[in-house]
Amino acid sequence: MMESCCGLLTAQKEPVPLKSIEVELEVRDHVATVVSTLNYENKEDKPVEAVFVFPLPGDAAVCHFSAKLGQTQIVAEVKEKQKAREEYDDALSSGQQAFLLEESQQSPDIFSLSVGSLPPGESASIRLEYVTELAVQADDGLRFSLPAVLNPRYQPQGSEGSSVQVTSVPASLVPYSLSLSARVSSARPVSKVESSCSLDPLQYLNTDQTQATIKLSAGHKFDRDVELLIYYKDAHQPTAVVEAGQASAKQGSLMGDPVVMVSLYPEFPQSVMSTVASCGEFVFLLDRSGSMECSLNNSKQGETRISSARDTLLLLLKSLPMGCYFNIYSFGSSFEHIFPKSVEYSQQTMEEALKKVEEMDANLGGTEILMPLRHIYSQPCIPNQPRQLFVFTDGEVWNTKEITDLVKRNSGSHRCFSFGIGEGASSALINGLAKEGGGHAQFITGTDRMQPKVMQSLRFALQPAVVDVSVTWDLPKGVSVTALSPPITAVFQGQRSLIYAQLTGQSSEAAEGSVTVKYSLAGHPSQNQLNFSLKPAEDTGLTVHRLAARTLIRSLEVEEREGEEEKDGVKKKVVELSVQSGVSSSFTAFIAVNKTDGEAIQGPLQRRNIPTVSMFSAAPRVARCAAFAPPVMMMCCDSLALCDTSADFEQCGYYDNEEECSDKVFAAELEDTIEDTMPNQPPRDPLLQLVSLQKASGCWQLDPDLAEVLGKTSEEVEKSKPALVNNEVWATILALIWLHGFKMDAKEEWELLAMKAASWLRAQNAPGVTECVEAGNALLGFSVEKNVLGL
């Protein structure tokens, strides 16, 4: 039976209780504190209950929730989830105002907020605070993302739990506004702050430029996440921050003792780093669910997510080393693989794979990633070929925890590199895959190109694996240490490793300690040591304690899900830690009840689910590609506008189940809609044309296709070739000169395949290389040095 949907209030021109959102961001080095204030007003003549579902960063520690009604401030408490729900229901049934904030059972990056019994004409202001660590990007920037987009999370039929369902409306009808201001401070100067959204100019607060403020320009549209990239001069130095415990907490407890946060940035010896691995089993897993047909950057001019992924696979396949193994899987409601098992990389297997990649479309229905992952892990590993898994998805899944737990169970046999494509990719899923799989996570949003980010991760995958990682502490007598972070399993050049630990016992103010991380890299023992003062830092609030509590809570939650026995004991520990630290968990919720002696609120309570902004306002069915919401507060509806029940949701639009959904009628509609909303694909990039002509061995052949990319005729290319020089050597040198001459701005995309080409040339031991380089420069109009080409 279809349920009635009460979420499309704006489409019916009825008022929506959310008026505005204000976000204040404080960034200290690599830690961000985010305070969001949501202002509501009930303009109806009945009391309302507003229900919101919204995304937060997957590793955020929500640590404060309060509501202000007139002059009354109510601060929420953290309680066991069922108790909190009962207290909320009791308050509403007795006519009291109440507020409930809880984390989704399936995915830690989705929260729901219930605002209960807002009387007619009443205003309420809700304050939500969380702390989060900022991830290091390939260019050394630190990435902060304020999620605005919550895509519908696909849920297969017959699975337990309720899916997140989203009501969407055109952006012009959404009546709430957003303001965001940020303050950035560090021991090192802030060199710049960039964003995918327009910002007011950076304002420095002191002469050494270690403190600055930045604001989001007025008039920000709610059609994408707000992403800030923060750059410091000499950014990534090892640091340790000791934070004093909470005076009111018991000594010996996590909140009562000092906690240390150590950030390490390992530097590997150059001799080891210059030897790129020439082996490995590379498994690529590509999302082909319907939402991958959306534009990569939400503009009508942009390429689609699936076409960008196809181009990326071309670059990856051309960059693989000879002698490795590979396979490509793709998934939606079902999954496919190109080869029954991973095959050796050769010209023949590469061509076969590329032919199949060219035919890949976003036509496999929903997003069921668990089945292909289980199949990949069931395949035996190939001796002396370390498995490297690359996962590309727009991250619209509902069972995040089940997926990351599976990756963790198989972390001993592979490394997992993950890529979140487009707005609304689940940060909990993308970061969780990489964290549990000992790899690296990347997000492709705004105007980002996918290729440079993926090639950065391929470089990481080709780095030798770090093994035998151990952490040792040297502390003054009388001070003991308890690790709060899970053991480090992955270490990459230029990436941060974070360690949290509780310090118990007494030491003098001047005391010092040290922490040493030892590991083995390609058979070479290495270590990084950091000395630090035990004197607590000033003005850190309880940020470090809350991040440490969050880290420990996450580890315990995984233990609870995996443990056959003692589940109740671990759950009890999580609830105790969550209540003690005031940090959210999957077993607790924030509850606030207005117990002042006001009159009970009269009249039946109207439920109001706030709608989100749709990407394709002219095409409601396609709108389910992505539903947009105001940053930080995305609203949901218990029932979808066009398909209200859970079963209908799975079969509608892009999220169909091919066996059970009669989607032929919709296919015709969809084709028309996509033609209206999607551009004609631009002509192929010359770089990708050149790359597509490269052989698996690294060389190019002298043929008319190559001449065309070089912008020359076949006769010009033939005539300029020095005498007695092999055709393939000449063609390969021309291709390398063209790359260095024309495409230096995209060097990170082609660097690995150019290294492979240079290696092939050196192996030929061909005469006349110097002459070839000179002749090639003369033909193409460059002056690229022979040594620059790696020759």
Side-chain angles (χ1 to χ4, degrees):
M1 192 183 94
M2 298 283 276
E3 298 169 18
S4 63
C5 182
C6 57
L8 284 176
L9 296 181
T10 49
Q12 299 160 8
K13 300 289 187 286
E14 287 188 28
V16 172
L18 182 63
K19 280 175 63 185
S20 64
I21 301 164
E22 295 152 24
V23 179
E24 290 171 41
L25 169 66
E26 169 123 10
V27 178
R28 293 189 177 204
D29 294 313
H30 60 267
V31 172
T33 302
V34 185
V35 178
S36 298
T37 306
L38 295 97
N39 299 306
Y40 300 94
E41 185 180 355
N42 180 11
K43 292 183 178 175
E44 298 191 42
D45 55 4
K46 310 173 207 55
V48 298
E49 177 188 19
V51 181
F52 303 80
V53 169
F54 59 92
L56 285 181
D59 53 0
V62 178
C63 53
H64 175 89
F65 175 55
S66 61
K68 191 173 184 186
L69 300 149
Q71 296 306 305
T72 310
Q73 179 90 8
I74 324 161
V75 178
E77 295 174 72
V78 178
K79 295 190 177 179
E80 191 276 324
K81 193 174 267 187
Q82 195 51 42
K83 277 185 194 162
R85 284 173 177 170
E86 286 167 10
E87 197 172 319
Y88 177 79
D89 291 341
D90 289 349
L92 261 56
S93 60
S94 61
Q96 289 178 305
Q97 292 165 321
F99 305 84
L100 181 73
L101 178 74
E102 55 185 315
E103 183 184 305
S104 155
Q105 208 65 42
Q106 279 85 25
S107 188
D109 62 343
I110 300 177
F111 281 74
S112 69
L113 167 62
S114 303
V115 177
S117 291
L118 199 56
E122 179 91 44
S123 295
S125 156
I126 287 181
R127 182 183 162 101
L128 174 74
E129 184 177 332
Y130 65 87
V131 286
T132 186
E133 300 150 359
L134 305 187
V136 185
Q137 300 306 286
D139 63 356
D140 287 345
L142 294 173
R143 178 180 184 266
F144 167 75
S145 176
L146 185 68
V149 179
L150 180 60
N151 294 329
R153 300 288 168 95
Y154 175 80
Q155 180 176 358
Q157 264 184 321
S159 50
E160 292 176 18
S162 57
S163 60
V164 172
Q165 299 175 5
V166 179
T167 304
S168 45
V169 297
S172 60
L173 292 180
V174 173
Y176 23 76
S177 62
L178 168 84
S179 63
L180 179 142
S181 60
R183 182 186 172 106
V184 182
S185 58
S186 171
R188 295 170 189 84
V190 181
S191 51
K192 61 178 174 174
V193 178
E194 293 177 348
S195 178
S196 53
C197 309
S198 54
L199 299 172
D200 290 348
L202 189 68
Q203 304 281 328
Y204 288 107
L205 302 178
N206 56 4
T207 49
D208 54 8
Q209 300 191 342
T210 56
Q211 293 179 23
T213 58
I214 192 96
K215 275 185 183 171
L216 197 59
S217 299
H220 173 73
K221 292 278 184 286
F222 303 130
D223 60 352
R224 60 198 183 280
D225 297 348
V226 177
E227 184 181 72
L228 296 181
L229 293 166
I230 298 158
Y231 298 84
Y232 301 121
K233 290 194 176 115
D234 309 322
H236 303 313
Q237 308 296 325
T239 56
V241 176
V242 176
E243 183 176 80
Q246 200 172 9
S248 58
K250 196 174 86 185
Q251 278 199 326
S253 69
L254 171 61
M255 298 307 286
D257 280 347
V259 167
V260 61
M261 173 176 64
V262 178
S263 315
L264 295 169
Y265 293 87
E267 287 297 326
F268 298 158
Q270 193 51 47
S271 56
V272 178
M273 290 309 294
S274 57
T275 58
V276 171
S278 59
C279 63
E281 179 197 6
F282 295 87
V283 180
F284 304 110
L285 178 57
L286 175 65
D287 187 342
R288 286 173 57 196
S289 63
S291 50
M292 288 290 286
E293 192 60 63
C294 288
S295 164
L296 186 62
N297 59 8
N298 304 329
S299 74
K300 287 193 177 182
Q301 275 61 52
E303 62 182 326
T304 61
R305 296 172 187 180
I306 191 73
S307 65
S308 181
R310 283 195 298 262
D311 290 344
T312 303
L313 281 171
L314 167 69
L315 276 173
L316 281 165
L317 287 174
K318 296 289 184 173
S319 302
L320 292 180
M322 293 296 280
C324 76
Y325 285 73
F326 79 103
N327 202 354
I328 299 173
Y329 286 73
S330 56
F331 69 94
S333 302
S334 56
F335 72 91
E336 299 173 359
H337 39 71
I338 289 183
F339 305 106
K341 61 179 186 180
S342 293
V343 294
E344 190 166 354
Y345 178 72
S346 66
Q347 184 63 27
Q348 184 190 338
T349 56
M350 182 190 79
E351 282 179 0
E352 195 179 331
L354 283 172
K355 198 173 168 190
K356 296 272 178 62
V357 167
E358 278 301 310
E359 296 164 3
M360 286 182 176
D361 279 318
N363 56 357
L364 291 186
T367 312
E368 294 188 43
I369 193 171
L370 208 55
M371 294 185 299
L373 278 175
R374 282 180 178 145
H375 187 270
I376 289 165
Y377 295 141
S378 73
Q379 302 293 305
C381 289
I382 302 165
N384 304 316
Q385 301 284 352
R387 181 174 285 170
Q388 317 278 359
L389 175 62
F390 284 63
V391 180
F392 301 87
T393 178
D394 53 12
E396 298 166 16
V397 300
W398 66 284
N399 53 346
T400 304
K401 291 177 183 176
E402 200 177 349
I403 293 163
T404 53
D405 288 352
L406 177 66
V407 173
K408 183 183 169 74
R409 286 197 296 277
N410 290 277
S411 59
S413 65
H414 79 304
R415 288 194 289 191
C416 181
F417 298 85
S418 54
F419 305 90
I421 303 169
E423 306 295 340
S426 162
S427 63
L429 177 71
I430 305 305
N431 287 326
L433 286 170
K435 187 177 179 184
E436 301 302 353
H440 183 64
Q442 302 262 23
F443 289 86
I444 297 119
T445 58
T447 55
D448 291 346
R449 277 170 58 77
M450 192 185 300
Q451 290 84 351
K453 293 199 172 193
V454 174
M455 299 314 288
Q456 164 75 27
S457 290
L458 181 59
R459 282 189 202 84
F460 283 152
L462 290 169
Q463 283 181 19
V466 168
V467 293
D468 303 329
V469 184
S470 67
V471 177
T472 52
W473 298 83
D474 183 11
L475 296 167
K477 200 175 173 185
V479 179
S480 62
V481 66
T482 307
L484 302 171
S485 308
I488 296 174
T489 54
V491 180
F492 293 108
Q493 168 87 7
Q495 287 298 300
R496 179 181 60 221
S497 294
L498 268 182
I499 304 168
Y500 293 98
Q502 179 180 340
L503 303 175
T504 305
Q506 295 295 321
S507 65
S508 68
E509 280 278 289
E512 289 213 336
S514 74
V515 59
T516 306
V517 178
K518 295 181 179 173
Y519 50 88
S520 177
L521 179 72
H524 300 260
S526 292
Q527 68 173 51
N528 293 109
Q529 185 175 344
L530 177 67
N531 297 316
F532 60 91
S533 163
L534 291 183
K535 185 181 178 186
E538 291 174 17
D539 301 333
T540 52
L542 288 167
T543 306
V544 173
H545 279 74
R546 284 165 176 158
L547 287 170
R550 179 62 157 178
T551 302
L552 186 52
I553 284 168
R554 285 284 173 251
S555 300
L556 288 168
E557 285 172 344
V558 171
E559 202 179 302
E560 188 272 343
R561 292 196 297 272
E562 290 181 344
E564 293 304 312
E565 296 164 27
E566 274 305 303
K567 278 185 170 245
D568 287 346
V570 178
K571 183 176 172 179
K572 191 177 168 204
K573 241 191 246 181
V574 172
V575 171
E576 279 174 7
L577 183 57
S578 177
V579 170
Q580 182 202 24
S581 62
V583 168
S584 62
S585 77
S586 59
F587 302 126
T588 51
F590 282 91
I591 173 73
V593 177
N594 184 7
K595 293 178 179 167
T596 53
D597 297 331
E599 286 179 33
I601 293 155
Q602 303 299 315
L605 199 57
Q606 303 294 314
R607 188 179 174 97
R608 291 288 180 257
N609 298 283
I610 311 305
T612 66
V613 190
S614 96
M615 181 166 148
F616 298 100
S617 55
R621 291 198 74 166
V622 187
R624 265 165 265 142
C625 281
F628 296 102
V632 171
M633 285 299 131
M634 212 279 339
M635 314 319 171
C636 105
C637 178
D638 280 20
S639 36
L640 208 64
L642 293 160
C643 39
D644 302 64
T645 65
S646 181
D648 284 326
F649 177 70
E650 287 138 22
Q651 295 179 17
C652 71
Y654 280 122
Y655 299 92
D656 55 12
N657 181 318
E658 288 184 329
E659 288 76 31
E660 297 174 25
C661 179
S662 58
D663 58 355
K664 287 182 181 168
V665 178
F666 178 55
E669 275 181 44
L670 180 60
E671 205 169 308
D672 294 341
T673 307
I674 285 180
E675 277 174 19
D676 292 342
T677 55
M678 290 294 176
N680 293 327
Q681 286 302 310
R684 195 157 200 200
D685 179 352
L687 169 62
L688 293 173
Q689 279 180 281
L690 182 78
V691 168
S692 67
L693 298 172
Q694 189 185 29
K695 299 295 171 189
S697 61
C699 72
W700 274 265
Q701 287 185 317
L702 199 60
D703 61 21
D705 289 338
L706 176 68
E708 188 187 340
V709 177
L710 299 175
K712 302 292 173 188
T713 63
S714 294
E715 293 73 29
E716 286 174 312
V717 173
E718 289 279 357
K719 200 169 68 180
S720 304
K721 180 172 80 73
L724 305 176
V725 168
N726 170 306
N727 279 356
E728 287 183 338
V729 169
W730 173 234
T732 304
I733 285 173
L734 285 176
L736 285 176
I737 290 171
W738 186 91
L739 287 170
H740 282 84
F742 272 117
K743 292 291 174 182
M744 280 307 283
D745 58 334
K747 187 179 180 185
E748 54 207 343
E749 298 180 35
W750 53 258
E751 190 173 28
L752 287 172
L753 58 89
M755 283 166 67
K756 187 160 76 163
S759 174
W760 178 86
L761 282 167
R762 289 194 300 271
Q764 303 311 299
N765 244 334
V769 168
T770 305
E771 198 185 343
C772 270
V773 173
E774 287 170 3
N777 274 317
L779 174 67
L780 298 176
F782 295 115
S783 51
V784 180
E785 301 281 337
K786 179 178 157 186
N787 63 334
V788 171
L789 300 177
L791 306 174

